[in-house]
Amino acid sequence: LFKEKVKDLSGVYGLYVIRLKNGSSYGVNEREIFEAASLIKLPVMAAMYREMEDERWKREDRYTLKNSDKVAGAGSLYGKPVGYTLTYRELVRLMGKQSDNTAFNIARKLVGEEKINEVVKESGMTDTSLEENETTPYDIGVFFESLYRGNLISKEGSEEILEFLTDTIYEDHLRTGIPEGVRVAHKYGREV
């Protein structure tokens, strides 16, 4: 069905589905490397929570926005004035709900690439590169499975991140055709 839906579209499409109840999976071009775009925010979100759970920071610690933090594109934080403060938890929420580029820029600097790459490796993302902004459908699937199962951070932290990835501003892109009442945690990313 997936191949039929995309056969007349331009570009390359990939899909990877894991059945959480039994671990079986299905994919089309699941190992194809794509530009990650905003999907690269996923391991950054988990790395932020890992640092909070390791008590390097608290979720309610506050960050003060600087002009050098601002990155145009997705999200509302770019439009906030210099000196605006928000919690570390709110940075992660904005990356999920709005795919906020400024929140991502701040979080990436706060956590550091080494810690983010640890999350990438531990989640099983073998073909994902933060530096090259690349990933595969397979890697995104195994990340979500690791997050869902609480293998990266606590079950409470995982649940909070999954909530941030539910009812986002991008629901019309990915929820179409899914029955009401089915919770869909997702991350939307595109390069224009």
Side-chain angles (χ1 to χ4, degrees), residues 1-20:
L1 182 62
F2 178 77
K3 289 179 185 178
E4 183 64 30
K5 293 281 187 188
V6 299
K7 73 177 176 144
D8 294 329
L9 300 175
S10 65
V12 177
Y13 292 82
L15 167 77
Y16 186 63
V17 177
I18 302 169
R19 291 172 190 88
L20 295 172

Side-chain angles (χ1 to χ4, degrees), residues 15-16 18 29-31 124 126-127 136-143:
L15 167 77
Y16 186 63
I18 302 169
N29 294 327
E30 69 271 18
R31 296 286 188 161
T126 57
D127 292 312
T136 65
Y138 176 86
D139 281 8
I140 296 303
V142 298
F143 172 86

